[in-house]
Amino acid sequence: RSINGCPLLRVMGHHTWLYVTSHYVIILRYLLYDVNPPEGFNLRRDVYIRMASLLKTLRKEGDWVLVLPPWGRLYHWQSPDIHQVRIPWGEFFSITSLQANIPVIEYEEFIAESGGPFIDQILVLQSYAEGWTDGKWEEKVDERPCIEKLLYSKDKQGYYRGWFWGYEETRALNVTCLSAQGHASILAPVLQNNLTTTSVMLDRAETVLHDHYAGKDYWDTRRSMVFAKHLRIIGDEFRAKYLNSTDKQDQTPYNEDWTQMKNRLGSAKGGPYLGVHLRRKDFIWGHREDVPSLKGAVKKIRSLMKKHKLQQVFVATDADGEELAKLKRMLPEMVRYEPTWEDLELLKDGGVAIIDQWICAHARYFIGTSVSTFSFRIHEEREILGFDPKTTYNRFCGDDEKECEQPTHWKIVY
Ligand SMILES: Nc1nc2c(ncn2[C@@H]2O[C@H](COP(=O)(O)OP(=O)(O)OP(=O)(O)O)[C@@H](O)[C@H]2O)c(=O)[nH]1
Ligand SMILES: *[C@@H]1O[C@H](CO)[C@@H](O)[C@H](O)[C@H]1NC(C)=O
Ligand SMILES: *[C@@H]1O[C@H](CO)[C@@H](O)[C@H](O)[C@H]1NC(C)=O
Ligand SMILES: *[C@@H]1O[C@H](CO)[C@@H](O)[C@H](O)[C@H]1NC(C)=O
């Protein structure tokens, strides 16, 4: 491996790579992270943005690379009989696109180039045991005793073992807890000054907030999260075949190079169909008042189709078999992307979710589900494509919801 044309040297005995420029010897450091196990795919995509922001801060004073945490064992990915662990990011996202924003490597590349499956230091992020002192919010970070039981345990050799994305051979040399309250980059001084290890992993990375939500840096990273090409192709073929939707007709040109993409707001027309994201499962179990009944949702879908003179409706949903059958009876004309078992095995639940999102992102009009991060990611994708915000920031209302506040429009900062 070389960086900026400089060769990397391996220092014997240390799992450390150096590269030599004309004046300096610079140590390459690795930032790894993981997220609270119950969190879903789309929230994890959000945490990536926070970590990318931290990495940019770290790189002002050193050479850091972000190691992409493999996907897998997500609570929602329940398709039986298919292998869904150790999935590299390249199966869902375009790595070259990510790399045009920050240097990233897959976990297996980290193992190969850092000298094996060893992580020098894990910092488990947590809040403060005492909460906010005097009810006053302040940004701070301190090494503290662990509040919750550690999800890592020591083996006979004294190494820490844990989940590590299904890589059983991975070991950590040290685990400590860090109470943190504030935006992601408050961790930078600790990583730069208090630690000298080559690799550092932040666990429970969702604990820290965005440096600047919806600012330029946020959007640069978000725009770099281009879906993997094979998934976009499947989505595009489906649009053409079943929804009479092509980029040319719909005025949704896409540039492989996200840095060159700047579609004017309102320039996208979208395919002649209504796009729907109907989140069910855990969203209805709690009888939330901001989520409609199926009957309520179908009524809204029909009225939107009429209003926008659309003959077709594409539905993305995680509804279970029983609800789906009910929905089909009430809305027989709905179009869905239904992978065969072979497709599913190849694409995984994550790939299918992305194809659903991609198709919803190209609809002439979109309506999603209240506070679903799955719907939020569709909003962003449509913003990138250049849709009029009126066609994007819409959600279903609960049947008896009185004040049905609609989603916020977050404009891209280029
Ligand atoms: N294919 C497909 N999968 C869906 C759909 N809605 C939800 N899912 C699945 O359910 C998971 C849960 O939704 P996510 O939004 O990712 O999870 P989350 O981060 O907990 O976010 P919330 O929606 O806010 O719960 C997704 O990752 C998908 O695997 C859908 O419309 N289509
Ligand atoms: C980092 O080091 C500084 C200076 O030595 C110290 O004051 C601070 O408490 C340390 N922070 C953490 C989180 O260890
Ligand atoms: C583990 O990490 C903490 C925090 O950086 C440090 O104080 C401690 O000395 C380390 N322990 C070992 C055995 O390296
Ligand atoms: C597809 O859309 C084009 C224009 O957008 C239209 O001319 C054509 O009739 C449509 N075809 C079908 C089968 O609806």
Side-chain angles (χ1 to χ4, degrees):
R1 214 162 100 88
S2 74
I3 292 179
N4 304 334
C6 300
L8 283 168
L9 305 177
R10 179 75 183 278
V11 181
M12 296 300 290
H14 298 264
H15 301 304
T16 303
W17 289 91
L18 301 179
Y19 72 93
V20 182
T21 68
S22 51
H23 298 91
Y24 306 101
V25 173
I26 300 171
I27 297 175
L28 184 58
R29 299 182 71 187
Y30 300 92
L31 179 67
L32 300 95
Y33 74 96
D34 201 5
V35 177
N36 194 20
E39 301 297 352
F41 184 51
N42 290 292
L43 183 96
R44 283 163 191 267
R45 287 173 61 186
D46 186 76
V47 176
Y48 172 79
I49 299 180
R50 305 179 210 180
M51 292 298 108
S53 194
L54 168 60
L55 195 90
K56 286 178 192 174
T57 304
L58 288 171
R59 287 180 59 80
K60 288 178 187 156
E61 284 186 28
D63 201 358
W64 288 79
V65 177
L66 188 66
V67 181
L68 300 166
W71 297 98
R73 206 175 69 168
L74 297 195
Y75 163 76
H76 291 100
W77 292 358
Q78 292 169 343
S79 291
D81 313 323
I82 62 168
H83 176 79
Q84 303 210 59
V85 282
R86 308 192 197 193
I87 305 171
W89 277 57
E91 293 212 17
F92 299 144
F93 299 96
S94 153
I95 299 294
T96 46
S97 301
L98 298 176
Q99 279 168 341
N101 179 51
I102 50 163
V104 295
I105 55 172
E106 299 273 16
Y107 184 66
E108 293 200 6
E109 290 175 68
F110 164 76
I111 296 179
E113 72 172 49
S114 70
F118 295 94
I119 299 171
D120 297 324
Q121 175 82 42
I122 297 181
L123 300 173
V124 180
L125 303 184
Q126 60 185 13
S127 52
Y128 281 81
E130 68 270 27
W132 304 359
T133 35
D134 318 324
K136 201 174 93 232
W137 168 263
E138 56 172 339
E139 299 218 309
K140 52 184 180 176
V141 44
D142 293 282
E143 195 182 334
R144 288 290 175 90
C146 301
I147 301 171
E148 287 176 27
K149 191 177 172 294
L150 271 188
L151 294 177
Y152 300 92
S153 54
K154 261 191 179 172
D155 66 14
K156 280 199 272 263
Q157 287 79 33
Y159 291 116
Y160 289 89
R161 302 300 193 112
W163 162 241
F164 298 121
W165 316 282
Y167 286 84
E168 283 169 22
E169 66 279 21
T170 296
R171 298 154 170 87
L173 276 55
N174 194 359
V175 181
T176 52
C177 288
L178 200 64
S179 287
Q181 181 170 287
H183 62 277
S185 285
I186 61 164
L187 300 173
V190 179
L191 301 181
Q192 284 160 336
N193 309 327
N194 296 56
L195 293 174
T196 54
T197 56
T198 301
S199 54
V200 185
M201 170 174 162
L202 301 174
D203 199 356
R204 299 295 301 265
E206 78 285 355
T207 308
V208 286
L209 310 171
H210 284 283
D211 279 344
H212 183 187
Y213 186 76
K216 174 168 165 40
D217 167 51
Y218 174 96
W219 276 110
D220 281 352
T221 300
R222 177 60 185 84
R223 287 160 63 222
S224 77
M225 298 178 82
V226 171
F227 292 135
K229 190 163 186 173
H230 67 283
L231 301 175
R232 284 182 281 131
I233 288 174
I234 295 172
D236 289 342
E237 283 175 354
F238 187 91
R239 286 165 55 209
K241 193 165 170 197
Y242 300 103
L243 297 164
N244 192 14
S245 164
T246 62
D247 285 351
K248 201 157 190 287
Q249 282 173 38
D250 305 352
Q251 290 157 34
T252 49
Y254 200 74
N255 195 324
E256 282 296 318
D257 180 356
W258 64 268
T259 64
Q260 299 302 310
M261 194 160 163
K262 195 175 173 181
N263 293 2
R264 188 176 51 77
L265 212 62
S267 64
K269 192 165 158 242
Y273 58 96
L274 175 69
V276 171
H277 175 233
L278 196 55
R279 183 80 161 75
R280 308 304 285 175
K281 294 234 171 88
D282 41 315
F283 273 45
I284 54 169
W285 296 336
H287 299 283
R288 277 168 47 169
E289 73 139 12
D290 58 341
V291 178
S293 65
L294 282 183
K295 196 164 160 228
V298 171
K299 193 168 157 222
K300 181 69 183 178
I301 289 170
R302 285 256 151 74
S303 98
L304 284 173
M305 289 171 78
K306 196 161 165 214
K307 182 171 171 200
H308 298 280
K309 300 191 175 61
L310 297 169
Q311 310 298 320
Q312 284 195 290
V313 53
F314 176 81
V315 177
T317 184
D318 61 338
D320 64 20
E322 197 179 313
E323 273 216 314
L324 206 56
K326 207 168 143 194
L327 185 61
K328 269 185 188 153
R329 276 199 301 279
M330 287 192 278
L331 192 67
E333 70 271 39
M334 75 169 174
V335 177
R336 292 203 323 122
Y337 174 70
E338 291 172 295
T340 61
W341 191 85
E342 284 76 16
D343 290 337
L344 186 60
E345 193 182 25
L346 212 61
L347 305 169
K348 320 269 191 304
D349 283 322
V352 173
I354 285 171
I355 293 166
D356 267 349
Q357 289 181 319
W358 186 248
I359 299 169
C360 283
H362 286 80
R364 189 146 313 158
Y365 190 95
F366 172 72
I367 183 164
T369 302
S370 179
V371 299
S372 159
T373 51
F374 189 107
S375 293
F376 291 158
R377 300 292 90 85
I378 295 171
H379 297 163
E380 293 159 355
E381 209 63 38
R382 292 176 64 86
E383 194 71 19
I384 292 168
L385 289 169
F387 278 93
D388 181 331
K390 285 201 285 293
T391 71
T392 294
Y393 296 90
N394 308 297
R395 71 157 175 102
F396 287 105
C397 302
D399 294 358
D400 302 313
E401 195 178 355
K402 287 188 191 69
E403 277 171 45
C404 176
E405 199 186 326
Q406 293 296 303
T408 311
H409 175 205
W410 297 101
K411 219 171 154 177
I412 300 182
V413 182
Y414 287 99

